[in-house]
Amino acid sequence: MNATTADPTAPDQGRIVLLTTSHRVAPGLLSWPAWQALRTADRVLCADGAHPQLPYLREAGIRVDEAAPTAEELVDACAGGRTAVVVATGDGDPALTDGLARLAGSGRVPMPDLELLPASYDLPGARLLDLVQVMDRIRLECPWSSQRTHKGLAKYAIEEAYELVEAIEDGDREELREELGDVLLQVVFHARIAEEDPDAPFDVDDVAGTIVAKLIHRHPHVFGDETASTPEEVREHWLRTKAAEKRRTSVTEGVPLGQPGLALAAKLASRVRTAGLPVAPPSGEGIGYELLALATRAEAEGTDPEAALRAAARAYRDAIRAVEG
């Protein structure tokens, strides 16, 4: 839309197209309207000579002038009905856009048509690329992060997982988003460290590829020919495919013994119940066996004993604070 009142007798003031691109999309993958604008433009300009799109534009036969014209110079370049396409830099060329806004607002200068044309868009998950790039730089340049190992970071993964659980239990949405980010950081950090292993390196793409393949294989009712209409049937699919993958000789394989005691007891009880094994909890004297029996009973009733105890402990904490207050 022209910034001035349309006059059919006035000379054509031309057109300015501000072309924006996303650095999270591979250079050269531009929309069809963007390619049309570039091919039909009388002049294409870019202030950044190192812009990642420039080699691909030139390879496509588009001449790009490395120039940073002022707003007045760009308006003059469009006089007579010409079109100028500006390939925006990473910061969006604020000096140019602010200058054009001032000229249009003054009403003293006949303005070309002004158009903002997004040439590429972020796909869902594109911000994960930013995280990978930031983590790579931190690993290389931060004195603390550059020295971390898998073993040295292990405790932080546990801490962040507990903080995530607490945010869920509190129902705090802002805290939940932040804690999910902290957990995600642990994954990306470990994957970045793994790239440097001299014997068996892997990276974040390998991690993502592994879990994608696992999810597809364990959801044959979604990606294959099998059917499942209830959560129970889905669980059966999951356990069956998991057993075939792992080829385990015992239902206890894969149960981490380092997890909290109640969670460990419930997990073992769940494996026994799912497998239909006639194994009752061992009898014995002492609080440990009593807790084991309670955890087993809770699991059979569909209750997470660890979560139940945390809820009771939080109530206990509130009671303590009430007395203190």
Side-chain angles (χ1 to χ4, degrees), residues 106 161 166 172 176 193-194 197 232-234 240 268 270 272 291 315:
S106 70
E166 185 173 357
D172 188 327
L176 174 59
I193 294 172
D197 189 281
E232 290 74 22
E233 291 178 344
V234 172
R240 186 166 60 251
L268 290 170
S270 173
V272 168
L291 290 173

PDB file of all heavy atoms in Angstrom, residues 106 161 166 172 176 193-194 197 232-234 240 268 270 272 291 315:
ATOM      1  N   SER A 106       6.281  11.690   7.166  1.00  0.00           N
ATOM      2  CA  SER A 106       6.420  13.128   6.929  1.00  0.00           C
ATOM      3  C   SER A 106       5.412  13.641   5.904  1.00  0.00           C
ATOM      4  O   SER A 106       4.994  14.799   5.959  1.00  0.00           O
ATOM      5  CB  SER A 106       7.844  13.431   6.452  1.00  0.00           C
ATOM      6  OG  SER A 106       8.053  12.935   5.126  1.00  0.00           O
ATOM      7  N   ALA A 161      15.523 -33.164  37.238  1.00  0.00           N
ATOM      8  CA  ALA A 161      14.327 -34.002  37.134  1.00  0.00           C
ATOM      9  C   ALA A 161      13.426 -33.802  38.356  1.00  0.00           C
ATOM     10  O   ALA A 161      12.197 -33.707  38.232  1.00  0.00           O
ATOM     11  CB  ALA A 161      14.725 -35.459  36.988  1.00  0.00           C
ATOM     12  N   GLU A 166       8.587 -31.229  40.923  1.00  0.00           N
ATOM     13  CA  GLU A 166       8.026 -30.274  41.882  1.00  0.00           C
ATOM     14  C   GLU A 166       7.190 -29.207  41.177  1.00  0.00           C
ATOM     15  O   GLU A 166       6.123 -28.822  41.660  1.00  0.00           O
ATOM     16  CB  GLU A 166       9.155 -29.617  42.665  1.00  0.00           C
ATOM     17  CG  GLU A 166       8.654 -28.690  43.768  1.00  0.00           C
ATOM     18  CD  GLU A 166       9.767 -28.176  44.659  1.00  0.00           C
ATOM     19  OE1 GLU A 166      10.936 -28.583  44.456  1.00  0.00           O
ATOM     20  OE2 GLU A 166       9.478 -27.373  45.560  1.00  0.00           O
ATOM     21  N   ASP A 172       2.630 -24.879  38.686  1.00  0.00           N
ATOM     22  CA  ASP A 172       3.168 -23.582  38.270  1.00  0.00           C
ATOM     23  C   ASP A 172       3.594 -23.676  36.809  1.00  0.00           C
ATOM     24  O   ASP A 172       4.612 -24.280  36.482  1.00  0.00           O
ATOM     25  CB  ASP A 172       4.361 -23.214  39.158  1.00  0.00           C
ATOM     26  CG  ASP A 172       4.866 -21.796  38.926  1.00  0.00           C
ATOM     27  OD1 ASP A 172       4.788 -21.324  37.779  1.00  0.00           O
ATOM     28  OD2 ASP A 172       5.350 -21.176  39.898  1.00  0.00           O
ATOM     29  N   LEU A 176       7.135 -24.670  35.272  1.00  0.00           N
ATOM     30  CA  LEU A 176       7.160 -25.898  34.478  1.00  0.00           C
ATOM     31  C   LEU A 176       7.928 -25.681  33.179  1.00  0.00           C
ATOM     32  O   LEU A 176       8.771 -26.498  32.791  1.00  0.00           O
ATOM     33  CB  LEU A 176       5.733 -26.356  34.180  1.00  0.00           C
ATOM     34  CG  LEU A 176       5.584 -27.559  33.237  1.00  0.00           C
ATOM     35  CD1 LEU A 176       6.286 -28.779  33.795  1.00  0.00           C
ATOM     36  CD2 LEU A 176       4.103 -27.849  32.989  1.00  0.00           C
ATOM     37  N   ILE A 193      28.957 -33.313  24.777  1.00  0.00           N
ATOM     38  CA  ILE A 193      30.141 -33.964  25.334  1.00  0.00           C
ATOM     39  C   ILE A 193      30.434 -35.256  24.576  1.00  0.00           C
ATOM     40  O   ILE A 193      31.592 -35.587  24.289  1.00  0.00           O
ATOM     41  CB  ILE A 193      29.938 -34.255  26.833  1.00  0.00           C
ATOM     42  CG1 ILE A 193      29.849 -32.937  27.615  1.00  0.00           C
ATOM     43  CG2 ILE A 193      31.057 -35.117  27.389  1.00  0.00           C
ATOM     44  CD1 ILE A 193      29.456 -33.116  29.071  1.00  0.00           C
ATOM     45  N   ALA A 194      29.371 -35.978  24.223  1.00  0.00           N
ATOM     46  CA  ALA A 194      29.539 -37.268  23.544  1.00  0.00           C
ATOM     47  C   ALA A 194      30.196 -37.125  22.176  1.00  0.00           C
ATOM     48  O   ALA A 194      30.820 -38.069  21.681  1.00  0.00           O
ATOM     49  CB  ALA A 194      28.184 -37.962  23.410  1.00  0.00           C
ATOM     50  N   ASP A 197      33.990 -37.947  22.226  1.00  0.00           N
ATOM     51  CA  ASP A 197      34.519 -39.248  22.613  1.00  0.00           C
ATOM     52  C   ASP A 197      35.367 -39.826  21.483  1.00  0.00           C
ATOM     53  O   ASP A 197      34.917 -39.901  20.339  1.00  0.00           O
ATOM     54  CB  ASP A 197      33.366 -40.207  22.930  1.00  0.00           C
ATOM     55  CG  ASP A 197      33.856 -41.502  23.537  1.00  0.00           C
ATOM     56  OD1 ASP A 197      34.324 -42.369  22.781  1.00  0.00           O
ATOM     57  OD2 ASP A 197      33.783 -41.646  24.775  1.00  0.00           O
ATOM     58  N   GLU A 232      -4.572 -49.844  27.754  1.00  0.00           N
ATOM     59  CA  GLU A 232      -4.037 -51.146  28.119  1.00  0.00           C
ATOM     60  C   GLU A 232      -3.444 -51.863  26.894  1.00  0.00           C
ATOM     61  O   GLU A 232      -2.390 -52.496  26.980  1.00  0.00           O
ATOM     62  CB  GLU A 232      -5.127 -52.009  28.754  1.00  0.00           C
ATOM     63  CG  GLU A 232      -5.561 -51.552  30.137  1.00  0.00           C
ATOM     64  CD  GLU A 232      -6.418 -50.294  30.085  1.00  0.00           C
ATOM     65  OE1 GLU A 232      -7.016 -50.011  29.016  1.00  0.00           O
ATOM     66  OE2 GLU A 232      -6.470 -49.583  31.114  1.00  0.00           O
ATOM     67  N   GLU A 233      -4.147 -51.764  25.763  1.00  0.00           N
ATOM     68  CA  GLU A 233      -3.632 -52.386  24.547  1.00  0.00           C
ATOM     69  C   GLU A 233      -2.350 -51.692  24.075  1.00  0.00           C
ATOM     70  O   GLU A 233      -1.429 -52.349  23.574  1.00  0.00           O
ATOM     71  CB  GLU A 233      -4.697 -52.331  23.453  1.00  0.00           C
ATOM     72  CG  GLU A 233      -5.897 -53.244  23.731  1.00  0.00           C
ATOM     73  CD  GLU A 233      -6.952 -53.117  22.651  1.00  0.00           C
ATOM     74  OE1 GLU A 233      -6.892 -52.139  21.879  1.00  0.00           O
ATOM     75  OE2 GLU A 233      -7.839 -53.986  22.585  1.00  0.00           O
ATOM     76  N   VAL A 234      -2.295 -50.385  24.237  1.00  0.00           N
ATOM     77  CA  VAL A 234      -1.077 -49.651  23.882  1.00  0.00           C
ATOM     78  C   VAL A 234       0.084 -50.125  24.744  1.00  0.00           C
ATOM     79  O   VAL A 234       1.197 -50.356  24.256  1.00  0.00           O
ATOM     80  CB  VAL A 234      -1.283 -48.132  24.056  1.00  0.00           C
ATOM     81  CG1 VAL A 234       0.043 -47.393  23.884  1.00  0.00           C
ATOM     82  CG2 VAL A 234      -2.313 -47.610  23.074  1.00  0.00           C
ATOM     83  N   ARG A 240       5.598 -55.596  24.572  1.00  0.00           N
ATOM     84  CA  ARG A 240       5.948 -56.688  23.672  1.00  0.00           C
ATOM     85  C   ARG A 240       7.116 -56.292  22.764  1.00  0.00           C
ATOM     86  O   ARG A 240       8.076 -57.053  22.606  1.00  0.00           O
ATOM     87  CB  ARG A 240       4.729 -57.083  22.847  1.00  0.00           C
ATOM     88  CG  ARG A 240       4.979 -58.315  21.973  1.00  0.00           C
ATOM     89  CD  ARG A 240       3.688 -58.880  21.430  1.00  0.00           C
ATOM     90  NE  ARG A 240       2.965 -57.939  20.610  1.00  0.00           N
ATOM     91  CZ  ARG A 240       1.825 -57.348  20.976  1.00  0.00           C
ATOM     92  NH1 ARG A 240       1.288 -57.614  22.162  1.00  0.00           N
ATOM     93  NH2 ARG A 240       1.207 -56.497  20.161  1.00  0.00           N
ATOM     94  N   LEU A 268       9.531 -52.865  40.509  1.00  0.00           N
ATOM     95  CA  LEU A 268       9.679 -54.319  40.534  1.00  0.00           C
ATOM     96  C   LEU A 268       8.317 -55.006  40.613  1.00  0.00           C
ATOM     97  O   LEU A 268       8.067 -56.005  39.932  1.00  0.00           O
ATOM     98  CB  LEU A 268      10.553 -54.730  41.713  1.00  0.00           C
ATOM     99  CG  LEU A 268      12.040 -54.351  41.604  1.00  0.00           C
ATOM    100  CD1 LEU A 268      12.741 -54.602  42.935  1.00  0.00           C
ATOM    101  CD2 LEU A 268      12.719 -55.113  40.481  1.00  0.00           C
ATOM    102  N   SER A 270       5.531 -53.822  39.532  1.00  0.00           N
ATOM    103  CA  SER A 270       4.866 -53.654  38.244  1.00  0.00           C
ATOM    104  C   SER A 270       5.366 -54.668  37.228  1.00  0.00           C
ATOM    105  O   SER A 270       4.569 -55.259  36.480  1.00  0.00           O
ATOM    106  CB  SER A 270       5.118 -52.235  37.719  1.00  0.00           C
ATOM    107  OG  SER A 270       4.621 -52.079  36.408  1.00  0.00           O
ATOM    108  N   VAL A 272       6.613 -57.632  37.885  1.00  0.00           N
ATOM    109  CA  VAL A 272       6.111 -58.947  38.287  1.00  0.00           C
ATOM    110  C   VAL A 272       4.649 -59.108  37.884  1.00  0.00           C
ATOM    111  O   VAL A 272       4.237 -60.140  37.329  1.00  0.00           O
ATOM    112  CB  VAL A 272       6.274 -59.140  39.810  1.00  0.00           C
ATOM    113  CG1 VAL A 272       5.489 -60.361  40.283  1.00  0.00           C
ATOM    114  CG2 VAL A 272       7.753 -59.299  40.163  1.00  0.00           C
ATOM    115  N   LEU A 291       7.592 -51.253  54.375  1.00  0.00           N
ATOM    116  CA  LEU A 291       7.507 -50.288  53.272  1.00  0.00           C
ATOM    117  C   LEU A 291       7.392 -50.995  51.926  1.00  0.00           C
ATOM    118  O   LEU A 291       6.654 -50.554  51.038  1.00  0.00           O
ATOM    119  CB  LEU A 291       8.736 -49.375  53.284  1.00  0.00           C
ATOM    120  CG  LEU A 291       8.820 -48.371  54.434  1.00  0.00           C
ATOM    121  CD1 LEU A 291      10.161 -47.661  54.422  1.00  0.00           C
ATOM    122  CD2 LEU A 291       7.690 -47.348  54.332  1.00  0.00           C
ATOM    123  N   ALA A 315       2.293 -32.097  52.879  1.00  0.00           N
ATOM    124  CA  ALA A 315       1.294 -31.733  53.886  1.00  0.00           C
ATOM    125  C   ALA A 315       1.945 -31.598  55.257  1.00  0.00           C
ATOM    126  O   ALA A 315       1.598 -30.709  56.051  1.00  0.00           O
ATOM    127  CB  ALA A 315       0.190 -32.793  53.916  1.00  0.00           C
TER     128      ALA A 315
END
